């Protein structure tokens, strides 16, 4: 059984003004095996964030099903959602979403506090993780005192501290300079090698070239997918780039 | 056409910011309304023509001053809050190519619109309110009601001038704020200054000291006169202490909580403690403002209500009997003759004197040092005065229910006292020494203090009963020698000639007859050869008590309303601005796995602890202010501590309920913003 099973997702937004309907997702199906590193690419407005929000149980699809380890996310009741999210999913966002009123350490603790873990337990978990992510020295600083790269690694620590089944990332390198991006991506690659399943939405070819598989979304559907197999980073980069060109030139053909 | 354009833009802006502008405009209306009304009452000829109307007009004038001061401070404060909230909007206009002078013009129009609406509606409401106030006042003061509206153009003019100036300054201030900043700064402004506040230990200690001193003054001050001078010092200390403690103390406290890991790392505390700490700097001042305003409301209301409700009590202590005769230099035979004549007159008219008070005394304000009394020298002795009534024991027997000794020796006295006892077995009076043969408090002796003291309840009162007039004469000589005859405190008697101060009073139980009896008694005084005497009739002055206390109650109620309005507005603005601040934080936390119920619970925890803090502190302030206010209202001849306690408790309860309601309302606004 796949870790994540997405079938026939459709999402229609109804705008508040005038009630016009916007189709963000038309028919999206794919699955993710445990231990995979999947990147999702697509143009701006193609529905990537919408998809991720549905996977994260932050939003409900109009039609379709999402199963995590065989359990339906779509059917979760309102009061189960928060604890489900906290126990099974980790998030990294483009704009970090750190809280300015918490120190780095408290930001990382947040999901554990929400889960009602003891302080001792939290300390036990953060120590190795902070070393791993290179933020052990800044735990007592505040988000406004640290760099973008450090912020994103803090956000990654917050996502990983609950040992989630699935790490979801929405354009995690979008607000970072190239060096910080590279650091974060190799970090993601490392933790993936250690067994963490990752699903990442990105614009960047460089970012996607780290992944084991790349899904291309266009017009609300999975347009194409690309497996890394034994390809090196350079080759992968080239293949992604070619695919994007094909999509952009609009040879509307849909590949399996 | 261009002018029209700016006007429309201004109107549009107000509409877009209606969440903050409607309360602001309502405040302007409220303040104008109050100001106009009080000004109108202060120079309303109808009021000045009333009996006692000048007192009322004076109280209203005072009220006008307080309201004007309040209007300046408060509207300025609210306006700068609004402008700060809108900086982002201004930056956007600026980036879209609007110059600062154009912004200035839009702001001018906005200010003019607010001013026009505020003053016009405020004036209209003021005309109605003055009518209502007038009726209310007449009722309070026990006057018959008259009809007709009264519009004061001079009050309108002064309102227009005052508020015109205020608005001019708020506009200039807004301009200044815009001119100081570049668009980027303007955009960032709202996010700036959100760093964690530092612990300010010195400030916290200073705050505790100020507050402690203020409380200490209130608790320990015994003499009402001292209370009067120290009251304002205590008030200022408590205000300063409140600001310091709210600023420094709350931060220290929250940091302490954060340090306790087991407590802090619980969902609810985690979010609320960090959230409060995060903006405690701005928070603290707002909370302290609410606390001070609440305290003022509570004190003003409880005191003025007690004064009004205690009017009868005051009148009774000032006029212990319906008719009171006070005369100087009266001999025993004159007093007897006079009372006989009065009784005869009463009998002829089918009346009789009830609850009779009658005694002759040698009376003066003295200074007590240990077991000694001496004459006062210089101004500083005025503060520590004790009232001494030297009375021949046989003259006082009918005044007390207690058992007095059959006779006293020349070197003996019998002591009746209220307040502090005289320590030891002997009493010294300006160098003379007497054995204290026995003593009783006024309560034990069953003496109505009102019948005795012509004091303002400011001092310890001693009734010193002596063997005969000879002893009184001895005492007079000793005291006069000490302080000089020209400064004698016993100017109203000459015991060597058996001429003493004479106090005589009784009730008739028939108010209608009082006036006539008073006239006759006045004639009889002259006939008896008592020249230095006067007769007081309780009813002549009843009205003036109601005028004074009614006027004060009125002022108290309306100022309280004004302050309540201010406190509510501060609360509301606080909730709104924090709601917008917190919205993003709550959204992030929800993404990380905070459920809606937890959002609600943590908001409740945060808002509860922050919001009830000012109320709780205000109640503590009031509790500590209670003793000194008891002393102060004693100056107004109000001695009913039970009554004052009751009005205080009721005021606090009513206020707490109101406060909780306002809290619930503003918390709802906050929740709606956060969960939008
Ligand atoms: N809350 C919403 N209401 C209405 N339309 C939305 C909403 N969120 C996204 N959309 C629309 O859905 C489409 C997909 O958006 P999104 O998922 O954000 O794309 P991406 O992340 O790939 O840029 C866009 O056309 C966007 O305008
Ligand atoms: Mg997106």
């Amino acid at each position: 059984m796949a870790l994540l099973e997405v079938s026939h997702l459709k999402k229609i937004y109804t705008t508040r003004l005038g009630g016009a309907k916007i189709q963000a997702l038309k028919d999206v199906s794919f699955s993710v095996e445990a231990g995979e590193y999947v990147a999702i690419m697509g143009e701006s407005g193609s529905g990537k964030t919408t998809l991720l929000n549905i996977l994260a149980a932050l939003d409900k699809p109009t039609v379709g099903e999402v199963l995590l380890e065989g359990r339906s996310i779509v059917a979760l009741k309102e009061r189960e959602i928060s604890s489900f999210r906290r126990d099974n999913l980790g998030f990294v966002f483009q704009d970090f979403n750190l809280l300015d009123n918490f120190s780095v350490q408290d930001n990382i603790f947040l999901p554990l506090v929400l889960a009602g873990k003891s302080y001792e337990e939290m300390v036990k978990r953060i120590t190795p993780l902070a070393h791993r992510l290179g933020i052990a020295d800044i735990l007592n600083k505040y988000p406004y005192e640290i760099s973008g790269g450090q912020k994103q690694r803090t956000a990654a620590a917050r996502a990983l501290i609950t040992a989630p089944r699935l790490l979801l990332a929405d354009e995690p390198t979008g607000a970072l300079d190239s060096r910080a991006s590279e650091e974060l991506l190799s970090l993601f690659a490392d933790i993936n090698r250690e067994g963490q399943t990752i699903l990442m939405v990105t614009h960047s070819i460089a970012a996607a070239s780290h992944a084991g598989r790349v899904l291309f979304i266009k017009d609300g559907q999975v347009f194409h997918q690309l497996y890394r197999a034994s390809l090196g980073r350079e080759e992968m980069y080239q293949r992604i780039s070619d695919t994007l060109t094909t999509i952009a030139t609009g040879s509307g053909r849909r590949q399996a | 056409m261009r002018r029209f354009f700016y006007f429309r833009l201004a109107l549009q802006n107000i509409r877009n910011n209606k969440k903050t502008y409607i309360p602001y405009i309502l405040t302007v209306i409220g303040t104008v309304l109050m100001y106009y009304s009080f000004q109108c009452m202060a120079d309303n000829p109808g009021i000045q023509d009333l009996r006692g109307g000048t007192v009322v007009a004076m109280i209203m004038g005072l009220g006008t001053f307080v309201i004007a001061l309040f209007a300046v401070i408060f509207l300025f404060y609210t306006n700068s809050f609004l402008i700060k909230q809108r900086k982002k909007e201004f930056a956007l206009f600026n980036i879209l190519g609007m110059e600062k002078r154009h912004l200035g013009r839009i702001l001018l129009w906005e200010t003019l619109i607010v001013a026009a609406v505020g003053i016009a509606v405020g004036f209209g409401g003021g005309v109605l309110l003055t009518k209502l106030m007038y009726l209310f006042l007449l009722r309070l003061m026990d006057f018959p009601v008259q009809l007709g509206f009264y519009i004061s153009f001079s009050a309108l003019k002064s309102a227009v001038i005052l508020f015109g100036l205020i608005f001019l300054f708020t506009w200039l201030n807004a301009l200044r704020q815009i001119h100081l900043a570049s668009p980027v700064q303007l955009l960032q402004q709202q996010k700036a200054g959100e760093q964690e506040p530092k612990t300010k230990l010195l400030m916290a200690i200073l705050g505790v000291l100020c507050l402690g001193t203020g409380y200490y003054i209130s608790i320990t001050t015994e003499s009402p006169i001292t209370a009067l001078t120290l009251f304002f010092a205590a008030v200022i200390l408590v205000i300063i202490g409140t600001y310091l403690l709210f600023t420094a103390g709350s931060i220290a406290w929250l940091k302490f909580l954060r340090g306790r890991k087991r407590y802090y790392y619980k969902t609810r505390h985690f979010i609320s403690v960090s959230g409060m700490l995060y903006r405690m700097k701005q928070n603290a001042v707002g909370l302290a403002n609410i606390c001070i305003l609440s305290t003022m409301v509570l004190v003003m209301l409880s005191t003025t209500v007690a004064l009004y409700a205690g009017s009868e009590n005051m009148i009774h202590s000032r006029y212990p009997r319906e008719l009171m005769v006070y005369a100087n230099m009266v001999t025993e035979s004159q007093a007897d003759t006079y009372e006989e004549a009065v009784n005869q007159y009463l009998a002829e008219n089918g009346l009789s004197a009830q609850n009779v008070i009658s005694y002759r005394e040698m009376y003066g304000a003295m200074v007590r040092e240990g077991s000694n009394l001496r004459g006062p020298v210089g101004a500083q002795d005025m503060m520590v005065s004790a009232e001494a009534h030297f009375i021949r024991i046989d003259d006082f027997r009918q005044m007390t229910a207690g058992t007095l000794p059959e006779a006293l020796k020349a070197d003996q006295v019998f002591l009746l006292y209220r307040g502090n006892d005289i320590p030891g077995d002997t009493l010294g009076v300006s160098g003379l020494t007497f054995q204290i043969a026995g003593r009783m408090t006024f309560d034990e002796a069953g003496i109505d203090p009102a019948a005795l003291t012509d004091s303002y309840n400011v001092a310890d009162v001693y009734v010193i009963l002596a063997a005969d007039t000879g002893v009184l004469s001895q005492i007079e000589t000793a005291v006069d020698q000490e302080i000089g005859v020209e400064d004698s405190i016993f100017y109203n008697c000459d015991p060597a000639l058996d001429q003493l101060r004479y106090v005589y009073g009784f009730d008739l139980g028939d108010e209608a007859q009082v006036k006539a009896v008073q006239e006759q008694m006045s004639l009889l005084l002259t006939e008896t050869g008592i020249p230095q005497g006067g007769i007081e009739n309780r009813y002549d002055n009843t009205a003036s008590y109601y005028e004074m206390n009614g006027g004060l109650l009125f002022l108290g109620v309306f100022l309280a309303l004004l302050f309540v309005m201010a406190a509510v507005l501060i609360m509301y603005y606080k909730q709104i601005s924090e709601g917008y601040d917190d919205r993003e934080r709550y959204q992030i936390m929800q993404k990380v796995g905070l459920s809606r119920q937890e959002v609600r619970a943590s908001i409740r925890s945060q808002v509860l602890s922050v919001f009830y803090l000012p109320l709780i502190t205000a109640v503590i302030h009031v509790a500590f202010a209670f003793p000194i206010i008891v002393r102060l209202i004693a100056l107004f001849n109000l001695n009913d501590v039970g009554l004052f306690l009751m009005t205080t408790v009721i005021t606090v309860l009513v206020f707490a309920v109101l406060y909780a309601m306002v809290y619930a309302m503003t918390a709802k606004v906050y929740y709606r913003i956060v969960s939008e």
Side-chain angles (χ1 to χ4, degrees):
Chain A
M1 188 183 64
L3 176 74
L4 180 71
E5 201 112 33
V6 176
S7 44
H8 305 293
L9 282 189
K10 179 170 171 176
K11 176 71 186 180
I12 296 174
Y13 288 114
T14 310
T15 53
R16 249 192 259 170
L17 291 172
K21 295 199 174 358
I22 297 171
Q23 185 164 44
L25 298 176
K26 202 165 165 188
D27 180 19
V28 174
S29 302
F30 64 92
S31 61
V32 178
E33 298 296 327
E36 259 198 302
Y37 185 173
V38 178
I40 295 176
M41 293 196 79
E43 287 171 17
S44 176
S46 58
K48 304 182 297 291
T49 300
T50 305
L51 174 62
L52 214 62
N53 283 345
I54 292 173
L55 299 185
L58 291 170
D59 204 349
K60 299 251 182 208
T62 314
V63 179
E65 180 62 285
V66 179
L67 300 177
L68 186 76
E69 293 184 319
R71 188 170 168 206
S72 171
I73 292 181
V74 177
L76 283 176
K77 290 201 194 68
E78 170 71 28
R79 33 181 75 249
E80 300 169 328
I81 287 180
S82 297
S83 65
F84 172 82
R85 200 181 293 145
R86 180 160 84 202
D87 295 341
N88 298 292
L89 303 172
F91 298 92
V92 180
F93 306 91
Q94 171 173 0
D95 48 359
F96 320 126
N97 276 348
L98 296 179
L99 295 165
D100 266 346
N101 57 323
F102 286 127
S103 65
V104 165
Q105 167 167 300
D106 286 352
N107 263 290
I108 300 172
F109 280 165
L110 182 60
L112 296 183
V113 174
L114 296 182
K117 294 277 185 288
S118 74
Y119 177 64
E120 289 74 22
E121 166 85 23
M122 295 187 223
V123 174
K124 211 164 73 193
R125 287 204 201 179
I126 201 176
T127 316
L129 191 62
H131 279 288
R132 181 85 181 66
L133 297 181
I135 49 172
D137 296 339
I138 55 164
L139 285 180
N140 288 320
K141 298 212 164 172
Y142 281 79
Y144 48 81
E145 298 171 319
I146 62 179
S147 73
Q150 289 172 324
K151 280 185 197 171
Q152 200 55 301
R153 275 179 279 150
T154 302
R158 182 178 66 188
L160 291 170
I161 198 158
T162 55
R165 300 273 177 283
L166 182 62
L167 179 67
L168 298 170
D170 188 1
E171 310 258 15
T173 59
L176 300 181
D177 61 32
S178 58
R179 225 191 89 213
S181 300
E182 209 40 56
E183 277 175 12
L184 185 76
L185 289 168
S186 61
L187 194 77
F188 272 22
D190 283 352
I191 59 170
N192 170 248
R193 231 167 280 131
E194 288 157 22
Q196 177 69 52
T197 316
I198 302 176
L199 186 71
M200 169 174 75
V201 162
T202 182
H203 246 103
S204 143
I205 305 174
S209 66
H210 282 265
R213 177 159 57 117
V214 182
L215 294 176
F216 296 90
I217 293 195
K218 189 181 179 183
D219 301 329
Q221 301 181 55
V222 177
F223 182 79
H224 183 68
Q225 59 176 320
L226 205 62
Y227 281 93
R228 172 187 217 93
S230 59
L231 293 181
R233 285 252 337 256
E234 295 293 315
E235 290 163 293
M236 190 65 179
Y237 189 100
Q238 198 52 52
R239 294 279 282 279
I240 296 171
S241 175
D242 292 345
T243 312
L244 288 176
T245 317
T246 320
I247 297 174
T249 49
S251 59
R253 232 164 8 95
R254 198 181 155 187
Q255 303 177 12
Chain B
M1 201 60 230
R2 273 188 80 76
R3 259 170 90 192
F4 199 55
F5 167 75
Y6 286 117
F7 174 75
R8 284 223 319 246
L9 215 53
L11 213 58
Q12 186 65 41
N13 282 345
I14 292 176
R15 214 172 290 145
N16 288 345
N17 289 293
K18 59 172 182 284
K19 253 195 188 124
T20 45
Y21 265 77
I22 288 178
Y24 175 56
I25 293 175
L26 288 178
T27 312
V28 174
I29 292 175
T31 328
V32 172
L33 192 151
M34 291 274 186
Y35 180 81
Y36 168 81
S37 306
F38 272 76
Q39 183 73 45
C40 187
M41 301 292 270
D43 54 34
N44 183 336
I47 290 208
Q48 280 173 2
D49 291 347
L50 295 176
R51 203 158 24 98
T54 39
V55 177
V56 176
M58 205 188 71
I59 294 175
M60 293 298 149
L62 183 73
T64 314
F65 176 73
V66 175
I67 294 171
L69 196 70
F70 170 86
V72 171
I73 295 171
F74 193 64
L75 292 183
F76 209 73
Y77 165 89
T78 339
N79 192 267
S80 36
F81 169 85
L82 291 182
I83 298 297
K84 241 177 248 152
Q85 285 289 109
R86 293 179 59 195
K87 279 200 170 161
K88 214 173 193 162
E89 178 188 326
F90 295 143
L92 218 58
F93 276 133
N94 212 323
I95 288 166
L96 290 176
M98 195 172 274
E99 285 170 41
K100 280 179 180 168
R101 62 197 174 90
H102 297 141
L103 270 182
R105 206 179 292 179
I106 295 178
L107 278 174
L108 180 61
W109 275 111
E110 288 179 18
T111 312
L112 285 177
I113 293 170
V114 171
V117 173
I119 293 176
V121 180
F123 171 64
V127 172
L128 286 180
L129 183 70
T130 38
K131 182 66 201 172
L132 284 177
M133 277 164 84
Y134 193 51
L135 296 179
F136 178 49
L137 195 61
L138 290 178
R139 260 204 70 76
L140 277 183
M141 297 184 0
D142 247 3
F143 283 128
V145 168
Q146 294 148 352
L147 293 169
F149 279 93
Y150 170 75
I151 293 176
S152 162
F153 288 100
S154 73
L156 177 63
K157 199 174 93 188
S158 65
V160 169
I161 293 173
L162 173 72
F163 287 89
L165 281 175
I166 293 177
F167 281 114
L168 177 66
F169 279 109
T170 58
W171 178 62
L172 290 176
N173 184 47
L175 282 190
R176 190 183 58 97
Q177 289 199 35
I178 295 175
H179 271 275
L180 282 180
S182 70
V184 182
Q185 272 176 311
L186 284 177
L187 275 176
Q188 284 169 348
Q189 191 95 45
Q190 277 176 325
K191 291 261 166 204
E194 308 282 37
Q195 304 196 351
E196 180 176 290
K198 298 212 166 38
T199 317
K200 293 175 190 113
L201 194 63
L202 194 73
M203 223 169 136
I205 293 173
L206 215 65
V208 172
L209 282 181
C210 283
L211 209 59
T213 316
Y215 285 175
Y216 180 80
I217 290 175
S218 169
I219 296 175
T220 52
T221 305
E222 292 277 347
S223 136
I225 302 251
T226 325
L228 189 62
T229 46
L230 287 182
F231 182 69
F232 289 98
V235 167
I236 287 168
L237 280 173
V238 168
I239 290 180
I240 295 174
T242 306
Y243 280 106
L244 291 179
L245 263 190
F246 268 80
T247 320
S250 55
I251 291 170
W253 171 245
L254 289 169
K255 284 198 170 171
F256 166 75
L257 287 182
R258 195 177 57 180
R260 291 178 52 213
K261 307 288 183 200
R262 274 165 208 284
Y263 172 88
Y264 177 58
Y265 288 109
K266 295 264 173 293
T267 303
R268 209 184 313 153
H269 307 149
F270 191 59
I271 296 170
S272 60
V273 171
S274 67
M276 286 189 275
L277 197 48
Y278 181 57
R279 49 154 175 263
M280 209 19 141
K281 235 190 304 183
Q282 306 107 280
N283 230 338
V285 176
L287 292 176
N289 283 335
I290 297 176
C291 175
I292 301 285
L293 286 172
S294 305
T295 312
M296 290 205 226
V297 168
L298 290 175
V299 168
M300 270 186 323
L301 276 183
S302 55
T303 312
T304 49
V305 171
L307 283 179
Y308 184 73
S311 298
E312 287 298 331
N313 173 306
M314 289 182 202
I315 292 166
H316 179 82
S317 37
R318 177 62 186 77
Y319 302 97
R321 300 294 183 266
E322 287 178 327
L323 284 160
M324 290 298 297
V325 176
Y326 297 100
N328 295 335
M329 306 286 188
V330 176
T331 62
E332 187 169 11
S333 67
Q334 279 176 323
D336 290 345
T337 316
Y338 181 65
E339 285 177 32
E340 253 169 55
V342 170
N343 281 326
Q344 194 186 337
Y345 169 77
L346 291 177
E348 282 165 8
N349 290 277
L351 295 165
S352 71
Q354 291 147 22
N355 309 320
V356 178
I357 299 171
S358 168
Y359 62 92
R360 293 185 313 130
E361 65 175 355
M362 184 169 80
Y363 157 78
M366 299 184 80
V367 178
R368 182 174 70 86
E369 283 161 349
S371 303
N372 295 299
L373 290 173
R374 63 167 176 79
V377 206
Q380 78 277 4
D381 279 347
M382 294 309 295
M383 303 297 241
V384 285
S385 59
E387 264 183 40
H389 300 261
F390 298 94
I391 301 174
R392 213 173 54 161
I393 188 161
D394 290 330
D395 276 352
F396 204 70
R397 290 190 193 280
Q398 81 283 2
M399 291 291 295
T400 165
T403 1
L404 298 178
E406 282 302 316
L408 289 171
K409 297 204 188 87
D411 63 345
Q412 282 185 324
V413 292
F414 191 89
L415 182 67
L416 298 161
Y417 66 96
R418 195 179 71 154
N420 290 305
D421 194 1
I422 304 258
D425 291 335
T426 56
L427 169 71
V429 183
S430 296
L432 302 173
T433 310
F434 297 95
Q435 289 291 318
I436 298 177
R439 67 182 89 207
M440 275 186 243
T441 64
F442 278 16
D443 284 342
E444 287 163 354
I447 298 175
D448 175 3
L452 247 181
T453 53
D454 109 316
S455 73
Y456 299 93
N457 304 299
V458 295
D460 297 326
V461 184
Y462 301 104
V463 172
I464 296 150
L465 301 181
D468 51 42
T469 331
V471 179
L472 300 190
S473 181
Q474 244 182 333
I475 293 174
E476 187 200 27
T477 314
V479 175
D480 281 356
Q481 260 171 13
E482 189 184 45
I483 60 173
V485 184
E486 63 279 10
D487 290 331
S488 178
I489 51 172
F490 299 131
Y491 56 86
N492 47 18
C493 56
D494 189 351
L497 298 173
D498 189 40
Q499 294 178 338
L500 295 174
R501 181 167 184 263
Y502 174 49
V503 179
Y504 174 49
F506 55 85
D507 289 333
L508 277 181
D510 186 355
E511 192 179 332
Q513 299 294 328
V514 167
K515 196 81 201 165
V517 174
Q518 183 184 10
E519 271 164 31
Q520 182 59 31
M521 283 172 75
S522 198
L523 286 176
L524 289 175
L525 269 186
T526 328
E527 275 177 26
T528 324
I530 305 178
Q532 296 185 44
I535 305 178
E536 291 180 350
N537 155 4
R538 181 187 290 165
Y539 303 105
D540 271 356
N541 288 301
T542 303
S544 72
Y545 275 82
Y546 278 98
E547 281 149 20
M548 166 106 161
N549 294 335
L552 283 175
L553 173 63
F554 189 74
L555 187 68
V557 167
F558 279 88
L559 287 185
L561 275 181
L562 198 67
F563 289 167
V564 165
M565 183 175 81
V568 168
L569 199 73
I570 294 177
M571 277 190 211
Y572 178 78
Y573 279 154
K574 240 171 76 59
Q575 293 289 58
I576 286 192
S577 64
E578 287 172 13
Y580 286 118
D581 269 5
D582 290 352
R583 178 155 65 178
E584 202 183 343
R585 297 200 302 121
Y586 275 103
Q587 275 163 2
I588 294 175
M589 285 190 280
Q590 277 177 289
K591 284 183 191 167
V592 178
L594 182 73
S595 69
R596 281 192 165 268
Q597 293 95 298
E598 283 167 330
V599 172
R600 227 182 268 261
S602 77
I603 288 176
R604 201 173 307 131
S605 145
Q606 175 168 343
V607 177
L608 264 180
S609 49
V610 172
F611 254 69
Y612 284 104
L613 193 66
L615 177 65
I616 293 167
T617 318
V619 173
I620 294 173
H621 284 349
V622 170
F624 275 99
F626 191 84
I628 200 168
I629 297 176
V630 166
R631 307 269 185 280
L632 283 180
I633 56 179
L635 285 177
F636 285 79
N637 262 321
L638 179 63
N639 293 307
D640 196 339
V641 177
L643 174 72
F644 180 49
L645 185 64
M646 195 176 74
T647 61
T648 305
V649 169
I650 292 176
T651 314
V652 166
L653 287 180
V654 170
F655 186 77
V657 169
L658 218 99
Y659 193 95
M661 272 161 52
V662 172
Y663 150 72
M665 263 155 48
T666 57
K668 207 180 273 170
V669 174
Y670 175 89
Y671 182 75
R672 212 180 301 139
I673 292 172
V674 166
S675 57
E676 238 166 38

